[in-house]
Amino acid sequence: MATRKRQTWLFKSEPNVYSYADLERDGRTHWDGIRNYQARNLLRDDVKEGDGVLFYHSNAKPMAVAGVARVVREAYPDASQFDPKSKYHDPKSDPGDPTWLMVDIAPVAACPESLTRDALKDEPALAEMMLLRRGSRLSIQPVSAREWKRIMTMAGIRDA
DNA sequence: GCCAACGTTGGC
DNA sequence: GCCAACGTTGGC
């Protein structure tokens, strides 16, 4: 059986909702609340334990890659879809065949504050990044090996 | 606060 | 199945 190469991702979070500092405090977290089919399919099919994650702060000042995380548990049903009190409640989801999934992630290393969206935009090697394309709303995005390497270099993180 | 870019919903 | 209306995301 061939060894799967680790893949890398970018997860968006609004830091006033859940920040990288919150993840460091918690030690690990359920990445719940994904309610977009494209993102769900990535979680279901492609995001695997050990994969690298760029923890991106969206709708923030500054917008930035705040830290690096790692997938510590692969996709399983997102409990919040069955919780009527949750803002992520989905009454259409069948408990026998849950619509929405989540993964668990844990922190690896914080990034320097200089790793902002503007800094990424100024980097020619990252010109093709999905994050920087207009209208890119997907909350879970693939990051290429080259992009990942470049960003680790910018962050001064040796291996993550 | 604005609004472009999408995704979803629902009438037909 | 089409598509207009609506809601959300998220950068600016």
Side-chain angles (χ1 to χ4, degrees), chain A residues 52-147:
Chain A
V53 173
L54 299 176
F55 194 113
Y56 177 74
H57 283 175
S58 65
N59 263 327
K61 259 187 177 172
M63 292 175 277
V65 175
V68 177
R70 184 178 53 229
V71 177
V72 292
R73 183 176 172 186
E74 292 176 17
Y76 62 107
D78 177 343
S80 67
Q81 69 197 301
F82 303 121
D83 176 3
K85 289 195 289 293
S86 170
K87 68 180 246 193
Y88 299 122
H89 181 227
D90 181 359
K92 293 198 297 291
S93 182
D94 172 7
D97 183 20
T99 306
W100 306 113
L101 304 172
M102 62 184 176
V103 298
D104 290 358
I105 64 171
V108 172
C111 290
E113 288 178 18
S114 59
L115 199 57
T116 60
R117 179 185 184 85
D118 285 343
L120 300 182
K121 278 197 292 197
D122 284 342
E123 181 57 51
L126 301 178
E128 302 301 312
M129 251 191 110
M130 186 183 290
L131 178 73
L132 303 179
R133 289 211 285 268
R134 228 155 68 92
S136 170
R137 299 192 310 169
L138 199 57
S139 57
I140 291 183
Q141 307 181 351
V143 173
S144 77
R146 180 173 303 152
E147 290 162 353

Side-chain angles (χ1 to χ4, degrees), chain A residues 6 17 32 38 41 43-44 46 48-49 58 61 76 102 144 146 148-149 152-153 155:
Chain A
R6 183 186 73 157
V17 177
D32 63 358
Q38 217 179 326
N41 293 347
L43 289 181
R44 183 187 60 198
D46 298 311
K48 299 301 175 191
E49 187 171 337
S58 65
K61 259 187 177 172
Y76 62 107
M102 62 184 176
S144 77
R146 180 173 303 152
W148 178 270
K149 236 179 132 180
M152 288 309 109
T153 302

